[in-house]
Amino acid sequence: MQTREFFVSAPGKVILHGEHSVVHGQVALAVSLNLRTFLRLQSTSSGEVHINLPNIDTFLSWEITALQPLLAGCKEQGGLKDLDADLLKRLREFTRISEDSTDTRSMAVLAFLYMYLSVFAESLASITVSVWSELPTGAGLGSSAAYNVCLSAALLSARGNISNPLTPQQESARWSKEEMELINRWAFMGEKIIHGNPSGVDNAVGTWGKSQIHTSFYLFIIKFMLHHFTLFITGGFLRYHAGNITPLSWVPVLRILLTNTKVPRSTKVLVSGVKDKINKFPSVMKPVLESVSAVSCVCEQTLIEMAERGPSAEHYNILEELIDINQHHLNVMGVGHSSLDTLCRVTLARGLHSKLTGAGGGGCGITLLRPETDTTVIQSTVEELKACGFDCWETSIGAPGVQQHSSAALSQHILKILSSY
Amino acid sequence: MQTREFFVSAPGKVILHGEHSVVHGQVALAVSLNLRTFLRLQSTSSGEVHINLPNIDTFLSWEITALQPLLAGCKEQGGLKDLDADLLKRLREFTRISEDSTDTRSMAVLAFLYMYLSVFAESLASITVSVWSELPTGAGLGSSAAYNVCLSAALLSARGNISNPLTPQQESARWSKEEMELINRWAFMGEKIIHGNPSGVDNAVGTWGKSQIHTSFYLFIIKFMLHHFTLFITGGFLRYHAGNITPLSWVPVLRILLTNTKVPRSTKVLVSGVKDKINKFPSVMKPVLESVSAVSCVCEQTLIEMAERGPSAEHYNILEELIDINQHHLNVMGVGHSSLDTLCRVTLARGLHSKLTGAGGGGCGITLLRPETDTTVIQSTVEELKACGFDCWETSIGAPGVQQHSSAALSQHILKILSSY
């Protein structure tokens, strides 16, 4: 153990364009969201491992001596390899989380214990990990990836596998490119535990988010090659073989409203509904997927131009038009919802343009704010959206990726939550 | 003159699918609408020609001796040839309707006088023509075509160029195929006077509407070949060279609500807006046009299947899905309007699906009624739409084309209006 107390944070993600059509081989744009997950790691001498997840009312601890036997059968301890299905199986037995449990608490505990045991395999350390997030869970905002990125960065740093980049003078610091690649790969392992076969996009956005060197931000272009696309409807998982995740050149920060309609939806049902619709009306639906892909590409070009030449009103007009077009296309795919129509109508009444982000059928939407959008307009929009029963945050996209923080860098509110345990 | 009193009627039309995209070479479906225009022609001995158009408060008459000199310069009197620009020019001078007047009254009068003088060129007869329509004007429902088809059928019959098909035992009767072709060609001449360069779809639908032999109805598939597509934005006219208008095989009658939002719009501005959007985002918009074309084709196939195998609930589901998809596509093209969103929302709240028909940007929308849709549901929908300030008719598509009627066949209401003059 190199440190007594350690703070890290990682951003969420939103899909700007290309949700659903990405499943069918088209281009999508994902971007980091400035709603973050914060983690505090303390090294202790208790002989115990504690995990505190106040967002989901989960506070658990284990004796290290009880955990040690779980590592007995591991072939290659501490290394980053493919997911060790045997270890995961033993963990499920140990925690009495059955094979078909996929609830947030169970998955968070499994990912933590798996990562802790793998990273500290050579010598299990007494630690207390507390995680608190601004991100709602299960809303398609990459909350699990932000959690896994925080766990990965904190555990690897605490174990000494990567540096402890924060100098006494700094409030926040980031790791080297190589270290961030390691963080990302371990976070992806956590994502596999939680999601079965994740695309790798969420953890990439959570890790890289913002370039450390440049003052503008990364977008990620996801190109799913889908050589072996397989959809297991009956198995309860959407499985696909993801292709390239390409970081985009520098793009401007965009202010947004993020709205959670809180209408529950099943991503699996929505994805299979889109697939059914494509099979039912291929001649109608395939051009729609192509058009969505073109929306992503035009958006990418526009963002690059905004970064290169400076943003203009016309750039924002284009971004707004693309948002409207894609929202209509998502409605054509059948993943709209009356709550999302309400979001679009309420914001458009103030000249603001919105689209769903993620799976749709409820869930979250984003509203682009223009540089000149007045604070009073934003406030009244947020109020009206909250009056509709929605949660609503004024935030931005293009947030920094995973960071280490000094305690001074954190708000009193967050510090208080993380230090309660 | 073969008759003292003569009644005819012709239906309106709606575009079921393909408005706007038809301008860019895609397939569209137009269908007759069971809101009709009725005409009464009386032969008199007054030495005058009267035209009464109570819908537009137009009641005019001319001495035949005053009209006669207008024919002096005509090269080929009474024949059906290309529009005689000289005669039209003399008519404008005679009626003091200037070159740039395009209002409904002026155009209706010009079309009537042109057709009357051309058909009766050899011997101008004393007649009184009264026309009343269930169709709103300028709403994209083919009201001018229904007017021109009525004029054409009545004048050609009165002149003896076509038969007077009604036997004393009949309430309604239709002309032969060859006679209807003549009616259609003369009606198209009227359309040219009113619209400059019409597609020919509206008069074809108004003429043919329903097959005389079969009990089901014609749809018209419009395939614009557009070898010489030209858009004169500055000239104030949309000009295009239309291609084939193909009658579709028998299709079922569909009950609909027709709603006029009464929001005024300029077709020219809307058409040029779509063109601008295609030029701005070709990679995004061209697939949308393709998808609309596919919607028309799938709809056509579904209607044929409904006629061949009998309509099923699944057929109606498909028609509803296609309506929703196309409405979203029209929104992508930028021709939606909040009033049309209201129409869609109000009807969808009762499980009914709507789309705009025609130019959009307000104007009219159609709502598909299912065979099992309850009368109380329809009534409450109509009431709510009227409360929104809209006009709303419960009607059907697939109406009979031009017909001759006995006075007994007409409702007292219509008979009373037409007989007031």
Side-chain angles (χ1 to χ4, degrees), chain A residues 280 284 287 291 314 321 328, chain B residues 280 284 287 291 314 321 328 331:
Chain A
K280 190 171 180 182
V284 173
S291 181
E314 180 54 18
E321 281 189 83
H328 291 306
Chain B
K280 190 172 181 182
V284 173
S291 181
E314 179 54 19
E321 281 188 84
H328 291 306
N331 277 316

Side-chain angles (χ1 to χ4, degrees), chain B residues 147-160:
Chain B
Y147 172 73
N148 284 316
V149 169
C150 283
L151 278 183
S152 166
L155 294 172
L156 290 170
S157 283
R159 177 67 183 84

Side-chain angles (χ1 to χ4, degrees), chain B residues 93-283:
Chain B
E93 285 163 6
F94 174 73
T95 53
R96 296 183 184 176
I97 295 169
S98 69
E99 277 290 336
D100 48 356
S101 286
T102 55
D103 65 279
T104 307
R105 290 180 192 191
S106 303
M107 293 298 101
V109 168
L110 279 181
F112 168 71
L113 281 178
Y114 184 96
M115 241 190 274
Y116 166 75
L117 288 173
S118 300
V119 170
F120 284 91
E122 286 178 19
S123 167
L124 295 184
S126 304
I127 57 169
T128 294
V129 170
S130 305
V131 184
W132 183 79
S133 185
E134 296 168 339
L135 290 159
T137 58
L141 299 175
S143 65
S144 73
Y147 172 73
N148 284 316
V149 169
C150 283
L151 278 183
S152 166
L155 294 172
L156 290 170
S157 283
R159 177 67 183 84
N161 291 5
I162 58 174
S163 70
N164 190 329
L166 197 74
T167 62
Q169 293 76 36
Q170 286 179 303
E171 291 211 328
S172 298
R174 305 199 65 197
W175 288 266
S176 70
K177 188 167 172 286
E178 290 70 27
E179 288 172 326
M180 290 212 286
E181 272 162 13
L182 193 65
I183 292 170
N184 187 35
R185 286 162 70 197
W186 273 99
F188 187 49
M189 192 79 82
E191 288 286 274
K192 281 185 180 171
I193 293 167
I194 295 179
H195 295 296
N197 204 346
S199 67
V201 173
D202 290 13
N203 47 283
V205 173
T207 303
W208 299 98
K210 176 187 173 180
S211 154
Q212 201 179 3
I213 301 156
H214 299 257
T215 51
S216 48
F217 305 101
Y218 274 121
L219 271 182
F220 288 86
I221 249 202
I222 317 154
K223 296 192 194 219
F224 284 96
M225 295 310 168
L226 296 176
H227 295 304
H228 308 285
F229 175 79
T230 328
L231 186 63
F232 294 106
I233 300 294
T234 50
F237 282 96
L238 172 72
R239 294 173 179 273
Y240 47 76
H241 293 242
N244 295 347
I245 300 172
T246 315
L248 190 64
S249 49
W250 322 119
V251 296
V253 193
L254 300 174
R255 289 197 304 159
I256 62 158
L257 291 184
L258 179 81
T259 302
N260 187 358
T261 66
K262 298 193 280 186
V263 174
R265 74 277 182 280
S266 155
T267 301
K268 189 184 65 155
V269 169
L270 288 161
V271 168
S272 96
V274 173
K275 196 171 153 64
D276 290 348
K277 206 155 186 179
I278 295 168
N279 288 336
K280 190 172 181 182
F281 303 122
S283 60

